[in-house]
Amino acid sequence: MKSGEINPSRKISIAVVDDEEVMRKLVYDVLKAEGYEVDSFATSQEALEKIKKGNFDFILTDIKMPDLDGVELVKRIHQINPEIGAIFMTGYADLLSAQEALKEGAYDYILKPFDLNEVRKSVAQAIEKTDSLEEKAKEKGLAALLEVDLNIYKSGDK
């Protein structure tokens, strides 16, 4: 499967949130070049409003921002849509923020300054993980259906 797709029928949509314009633009440009649908936001509030209306698969967000930190932003996003995957970026790494990010189900925690290949790799791995979870859920559903079908078949014999 090509980058930019969870399944061939739809593109991956990513929200990039960072109050630093240079970082936001760099991440936006690298993800756009990979074929993803990307929106970028300078504030958490701006991103939150758009996410309420839009359909995003992932959010890449800075942790330290003036209006609302990235962890709190993701908590609020998950109240709207718990399926949106989160990747955190920070120049101020500490154990507490890493733990909070993990509690919110972070796919990754990237330290600034980072190599842009690190962003590409992080998003690709998050998509793979999502694909794997979706595939396992389908397999469980099919196994349960098969078991029901078998039970119905057996009960017909009685």
Side-chain angles (χ1 to χ4, degrees):
M1 210 172 298
K2 298 187 304 191
S3 68
E5 299 177 347
I6 282 181
N7 65 50
S9 62
R10 85 177 175 87
K11 281 200 163 227
I12 298 294
S13 182
I14 302 172
V16 176
V17 187
D18 198 318
D19 57 316
E20 296 177 56
E21 184 178 359
V22 172
M23 291 303 291
R24 189 174 63 250
K25 178 122 176 65
L26 280 171
V27 173
Y28 174 91
D29 288 345
V30 77
L31 294 176
K32 199 75 168 161
E34 288 293 305
Y36 302 111
E37 289 180 7
V38 186
D39 279 328
S40 68
F41 306 97
T43 70
S44 296
Q45 293 301 330
E46 189 183 354
L48 202 52
E49 289 305 310
K50 180 71 178 203
I51 287 168
K52 285 178 184 175
K53 298 173 188 170
N55 187 20
F56 291 92
D57 299 295
F58 295 95
I59 179 169
L60 267 79
T61 183
D62 190 11
I63 290 180
K64 300 279 187 199
M65 293 185 287
D67 61 331
L68 182 69
D69 74 53
V71 174
E72 185 60 33
L73 171 63
V74 170
K75 283 180 185 176
R76 292 185 187 185
I77 287 170
H78 283 163
Q79 290 172 352
I80 299 164
N81 181 352
E83 300 298 313
I84 295 176
I87 297 171
F88 292 93
M89 307 176 288
T90 188
Y92 307 97
D94 62 55
L95 187 57
L96 183 60
S97 68
Q99 288 172 330
E100 288 177 348
L102 288 173
K103 278 187 208 171
E104 282 309 308
Y107 281 98
D108 207 349
Y109 186 89
I110 303 171
L111 300 177
K112 294 179 184 178
F114 47 74
D115 181 321
L116 291 175
N117 284 326
E118 199 174 342
V119 173
R120 286 184 192 97
K121 183 179 173 184
S122 179
V123 170
Q125 287 174 339
I127 292 168
E128 274 182 41
K129 196 172 194 178
T130 300
D131 284 349
S132 175
L133 292 173
E134 286 178 2
E135 192 61 37
K136 285 179 183 175
K138 285 179 188 174
E139 287 172 6
K140 280 184 178 178
L142 287 174
L145 216 69
L146 185 59
E147 188 174 329
V148 168
D149 189 42
L150 186 59
N151 286 334
I152 291 171
Y153 178 76
K154 285 180 182 177
S155 68
D157 285 347
K158 292 179 183 176

